Amino acid sequence: MSSKTTPITPDVIAAHGLTPDEYQLVLSIMGREPNITELGIFSVMWSEHCSYKSSKKWLKTLPTTAPWVICGPGENAGVIDIGDGQAAIFKMESHNHPSYIEPYQGAATGVGGILRDVFTMGARPVANLNALRFGDPSHAKTRHLVSGVVAGIGGYGNCVGVPTVGGETNFHASYNGNILVNAMTVGIASADRIFYSAAAGVGNPVVYVGSKTGRDGIHGATMASAEFSEDSEEKRPTVQVGDPFTEKLLIEACLELMATDSIVAIQDMGAAGLTSSSFEMASKGGLGIAMDLDAVPQRERGMTPYEIMLSESQERMLMVLKPGLEDKARAIFEKWELDFAVVGHLTDTGRMVLTHQGEVVADLPIDPLAKASPEYDRPWVPGVKQPVIAPEEVPAHPVMEALKTLIACPDLASKRWIYEQYDHMVMNDTIGRPGGDAGIVRVHGTGKALAMTTDCTPRYCLADPHEGGRQAVAEAYRNLSAVGARPLAVTDNLNFGNPEKPEIMGQIVEAVQGMGEACRSLSFPVVSGNVSLYNETNGIAILPTPTIGAVGLIEDATKTASVPFKNVGETIIVLGETKGWLGCSLYLRELCGREDGAPPPVALHREKREGEFVRRMIAQGAVTAVHDVSDGGLLVALAEMALASGIGASIAAPQTLPAHAWCFGEDQGRYILTATAAEAMVILEAAQRASVTARVIGHTAGDSLTVEGQGSISVQDLRQRNEGWLPGYMAATATGA
């Protein structure tokens, strides 16, 4: 678009995602009508994706500090102290809309973007995770989307050489027209060598490094801030194209330059590309920038200022260098065969002045765009609470038949087909592979390890967003505790529908309030995150999905726990209370065709007490296996332990509850432990002293899973059902796929 010839009409303003009131604010800030380049810059900086204008009022209520938090929200990623002069740096981000339009590149560039957020701060990335939500398996596009997204994640992560160690995958019809692809990266850095994005030093050079700028991804941030409709396929040009091999070079070049003490500030070019990176750096430093767009490396001819500033081409970074060190930095980037260009310098004007072909093409005040973006207190209404469903109200299907159905349903079926496409052993530090409660990666060259997980139960969040938000945090806490890690901090990815609808805004508010309660109670601060709104197609919203990514520390990497049963004849203990909660459960959905009822309540004081107890038992070497109880309830968790080991179990269900409720209720705050008979006595006595509910329910035995009075099923039969669904589904020919 030409900045001189494009008239600013109401249609042009609307096409840029700005409301009439927002455009009036633009006019008051500028004191004149903006040209098209300036309008485009306002559009992306004030998009929901970049400004969080609907959510920041509520995000400010989350707990973000703790003695071990080095840097909370506001930077590229969160930073926590992991001892010995080291820090873990991590964040989760969404690439939902691009992945629906172009699944391979959408997912691949989601991985690339989150990797840059982490290594921008001085960390070497050591692990990736992803949380994926697809539509109904019977939907015409689902198989195509699963195939493309998984290939994109694997294609990028494998080539860049960072292991993918965990994640989750769900299917639900609410995602038919708007899938979710949430990507998380964890990195490790020296605690005294963290790099930030605030520009400093008037006159210091502003440097562009990485790949050339093209026309891909223009208005990607704005596209990610709007609902989909029937023409969503036409938005394919707004999806970026990634090159993992260039990203690998960029990681190495940046880390090499970071070791030279040359960098004043650094920022990756993510959403809104050169616009957001330059404005955010200048705003945080209270400075201005004069930039020559002719100096920006370009891979296409005739690019306009509008295109250069709004392009979201991948594998690019912006940095401020100390004066006089440009040649030193250039030599490093040219060695790695990357572009390097001085594109401007810092000024004391507080303005962004862009020149192109010798003319000023944009002159904008920086802080009003970066700091004074609209902040809305949108109307919201609380969700209608679902009634509690008593166990006796739910039909009792034969227990073993129900288990066969559940273990093969899309949400519980093995995701081996997915994670075997990811390299989870590259770098040779992976201790806990995909398929466990949490991924575990050794901190290279030390005896400690980091554990990491992603968690959310969207059906709980729909039924009660407040309780669903609490549960997502609590489950992440449990998954880390189950492998022996002390939970340290959270990153979140809040995926919701249109916040302009009061009922959707209510979901956001209540989920954030629930998350905040859980994080405070569990000393589990939020240090980074991402918000993805307008996840709707033709007015139909996704299930509210506030995904929680979490990281914990294992002081001694030799003292961890894992899911598989280890030996025949060991005692099986359940920690936590079982009341047979079937509301909102997978049993209710898969066996009874119902998605109603209140979700199981979360008792945060017990979560903390039980988590601490489990970690203590693991550290003492008292347990041989640990698994948290989540989707599908106790019997599904036991089946997963049997499937992971090939060893069966014999279980005695109490007579105080209906068998189907005891087996499949999704009561929260529970773990299954196994131990030798002698250690089991120690655990039970310790649990009593710690006021933790613990009871023996059976022992490991043979090659079948048996529930007394309810029948038996062989582990081999379970395996065929559990591992057969996804490969069979992906191999099938879908009509219209």
Side-chain angles (χ1 to χ4, degrees):
M1 293 188 183
S2 168
S3 58
K4 295 180 179 178
T5 60
T6 304
I8 308 301
T9 65
D11 285 347
V12 169
I13 295 164
H16 281 74
L18 294 170
T19 67
D21 286 345
E22 287 171 346
Y23 185 65
Q24 288 304 310
L25 184 56
V26 170
L27 293 177
S28 68
I29 288 170
M30 295 290 290
R32 60 173 172 82
E33 184 179 85
N35 61 40
I36 192 65
T37 300
E38 293 165 335
L39 183 73
I41 288 170
F42 270 100
S43 166
V44 292
M45 289 296 291
W46 286 7
S47 69
E48 194 75 59
H49 194 76
C50 290
S51 74
Y52 297 168
K53 57 191 175 187
S54 297
S55 58
K56 56 187 171 184
K57 168 185 169 67
W58 302 102
L59 295 176
K60 291 173 186 175
T61 68
L62 291 170
T64 59
T65 60
W68 53 89
V69 173
I70 296 173
C71 177
E75 276 292 340
N76 286 292
V79 187
I80 56 173
D81 190 333
I82 58 171
D84 307 312
Q86 294 177 306
I89 300 180
F90 63 100
K91 189 183 182 184
M92 182 188 289
E93 278 208 340
S94 60
H95 235 218
N96 302 334
H97 285 53
S99 297
Y100 182 80
I101 297 169
E102 174 47 65
Y104 185 96
Q105 289 296 346
T109 52
V111 174
I114 196 63
L115 282 164
R116 285 195 300 281
D117 277 336
V118 168
F119 75 75
T120 294
M121 298 195 69
R124 179 171 290 282
V126 297
N128 289 332
L129 300 91
N130 52 76
L132 312 177
R133 321 281 169 182
F134 296 106
D136 189 317
S138 66
H139 188 268
K141 287 200 71 169
T142 299
R143 186 181 286 99
H144 162 71
L145 292 167
V146 172
S147 178
V149 165
V150 171
I153 291 169
Y156 204 101
N158 296 354
C159 292
V160 86
V162 177
T164 299
V165 301
E168 55 181 341
T169 305
N170 296 148
F171 296 83
H172 191 275
S174 74
Y175 305 108
N176 281 352
N178 197 130
I179 63 172
L180 302 185
V181 175
N182 296 169
M184 176 176 169
T185 293
V186 181
I188 295 172
S190 295
D192 60 353
R193 299 287 293 168
I194 309 297
F195 289 80
Y196 298 100
S197 57
V202 172
N204 280 353
V206 176
V207 173
Y208 170 119
V209 300
S211 290
K212 289 180 168 60
T213 294
R215 291 190 170 96
D216 54 320
I218 293 172
H219 268 299
T222 308
M223 178 269 291
S225 305
E227 290 183 38
F228 275 167
S229 59
E230 297 299 342
D231 67 351
S232 61
E233 292 293 337
E234 297 171 15
K235 296 181 178 179
R236 196 176 299 272
T238 62
V239 178
Q240 311 91 329
V241 178
D243 179 356
F245 298 106
T246 300
E247 180 105 340
K248 173 63 174 171
L249 300 177
L250 189 58
I251 291 173
E252 300 304 333
C254 286
L255 292 177
E256 183 174 335
L257 183 61
M258 286 167 171
T260 68
D261 202 29
S262 303
I263 298 173
V264 175
I266 182 168
Q267 174 83 31
D268 86 294
M269 292 191 218
L274 190 53
T275 291
S276 64
S277 55
S278 58
F279 273 85
E280 287 170 13
M281 291 175 80
S283 179
K284 287 176 182 175
L287 296 171
I289 294 181
M291 194 170 354
D292 177 9
L293 298 185
D294 296 315
V296 173
Q298 297 161 49
R299 68 167 180 259
E300 299 183 45
R301 289 185 179 179
M303 290 190 71
T304 65
Y306 181 100
E307 292 171 328
I308 294 167
M309 289 302 291
L310 270 61
S311 166
E312 293 184 10
S313 294
Q314 296 292 285
E315 294 89 39
R316 302 180 300 157
M317 313 282 276
L318 197 66
M319 54 181 74
V320 176
L321 297 181
K322 292 180 179 177
L325 297 179
E326 296 93 329
D327 289 344
K328 184 177 184 179
R330 185 189 304 275
I332 290 173
F333 281 87
E334 288 182 351
K335 180 185 80 173
W336 289 100
E337 300 181 347
L338 295 166
D339 276 285
F340 178 99
V342 177
V343 295
H345 62 273
L346 300 180
T347 69
D348 61 2
T349 64
R351 299 185 72 83
M352 182 70 65
V353 180
L354 307 177
T355 57
H356 184 246
Q357 297 178 353
E359 293 185 19
V360 174
V361 292
D363 185 347
L364 297 150
I366 286 170
D367 277 354
L369 271 91
K371 290 183 179 176
S373 60
E375 178 175 334
Y376 294 125
D377 184 3
R378 294 199 185 278
W380 64 278
V381 294
V384 177
K385 298 295 183 282
Q386 293 282 321
V388 173
I389 298 176
E392 298 77 15
E393 297 174 42
V394 178
H397 294 265
V399 164
M400 286 303 162
E401 292 305 310
L403 178 60
K404 290 176 184 178
T405 299
L406 285 170
I407 207 71
C409 78
D411 280 1
L412 292 178
S414 169
K415 304 306 184 295
R416 185 186 301 276
W417 183 91
I418 292 175
Y419 63 70
E420 283 191 344
Q421 297 186 50
Y422 307 151
D423 188 337
H424 43 264
M425 295 305 293
V426 66
M427 300 176 76
N428 208 33
D429 279 317
T430 303
I431 299 171
R433 304 183 186 192
D437 285 326
I440 309 173
V441 174
R442 184 186 298 106
V443 178
H444 193 75
T446 75
K448 62 192 179 190
L450 294 177
M452 52 210 76
T453 184
T454 65
D455 292 291
C456 185
T457 311
R459 63 182 186 279
Y460 293 174
C461 297
L462 179 66
D464 185 338
H466 183 269
E467 203 62 44
R470 285 159 54 99
Q471 190 274 340
V473 173
E475 186 173 350
Y477 185 89
R478 280 198 300 277
N479 278 326
L480 295 178
S481 296
V483 299
R486 177 167 63 93
L488 290 178
V490 159
T491 181
D492 59 56
N493 204 147
L494 307 181
N495 308 274
F496 292 88
N498 183 345
E500 296 166 47
K501 298 177 180 178
E503 65 275 15
I504 300 294
M505 196 64 220
Q507 292 176 351
I508 298 168
V509 172
E510 291 191 292
V512 170
Q513 288 175 337
M515 288 164 51
E517 277 183 26
C519 288
R520 276 185 288 272
S521 180
L522 299 172
S523 302
F524 207 19
V526 179
V527 297
S528 60
N530 174 246
V531 175
S532 174
L533 306 182
Y534 296 95
N535 288 291
E536 299 200 5
T537 300
N538 296 328
I540 300 172
I542 61 163
L543 296 182
T545 312
T547 310
I548 299 295
V551 171
L553 177 66
I554 302 171
E555 298 280 2
D556 182 348
T558 66
K559 294 179 178 177
T560 64
S562 60
V563 169
F565 292 142
K566 302 303 185 294
N567 299 290
V568 170
E570 294 191 334
T571 302
I572 301 174
I573 299 169
V574 174
L575 297 187
E577 297 182 356
T578 299
K579 297 180 178 178
W581 193 285
L582 288 170
C584 239
S585 67
L586 283 184
Y587 178 93
L588 194 67
R589 189 180 84 190
E590 299 295 328
L591 274 300
C592 307
R594 294 167 53 184
E595 295 189 53
D596 61 333
V602 177
L604 292 169
H605 63 290
R606 285 205 294 269
E607 291 279 2
K608 188 166 190 178
R609 191 162 60 213
E610 289 160 2
E612 290 170 349
F613 180 80
V614 168
R615 299 196 298 272
R616 191 162 67 249
M617 293 301 101
I618 293 170
Q620 291 175 7
V623 296
T624 55
V626 180
H627 190 19
D628 83 306
V629 180
S630 56
D631 282 350
L634 265 178
L635 196 55
V636 165
L638 287 162
E640 289 169 344
M641 298 176 85
L643 285 167
S645 62
I647 298 171
S650 179
I651 304 300
Q655 302 301 308
T656 52
L657 281 173
H660 69 298
W662 186 83
C663 288
F664 304 114
E666 295 183 7
D667 307 86
Q668 297 295 292
R670 294 183 297 164
Y671 300 80
I672 298 172
L673 316 179
T674 61
T676 64
E679 289 289 2
M681 295 303 296
V682 173
I683 292 168
L684 293 171
E685 290 170 6
Q688 191 171 17
R689 289 194 302 272
S691 300
V692 169
T693 301
R695 64 172 293 161
V696 174
I697 60 167
H699 59 276
T700 56
D703 57 6
S704 293
L705 185 57
T706 302
V707 178
E708 290 181 16
Q710 301 297 327
S712 178
I713 183 171
S714 72
V715 175
Q716 185 58 34
D717 189 355
L718 282 173
R719 188 179 311 285
Q720 289 173 350
R721 296 172 188 276
N722 181 248
E723 297 199 356
W725 180 78
L726 189 52
Y729 171 71
M730 294 307 297
T733 302
T735 304

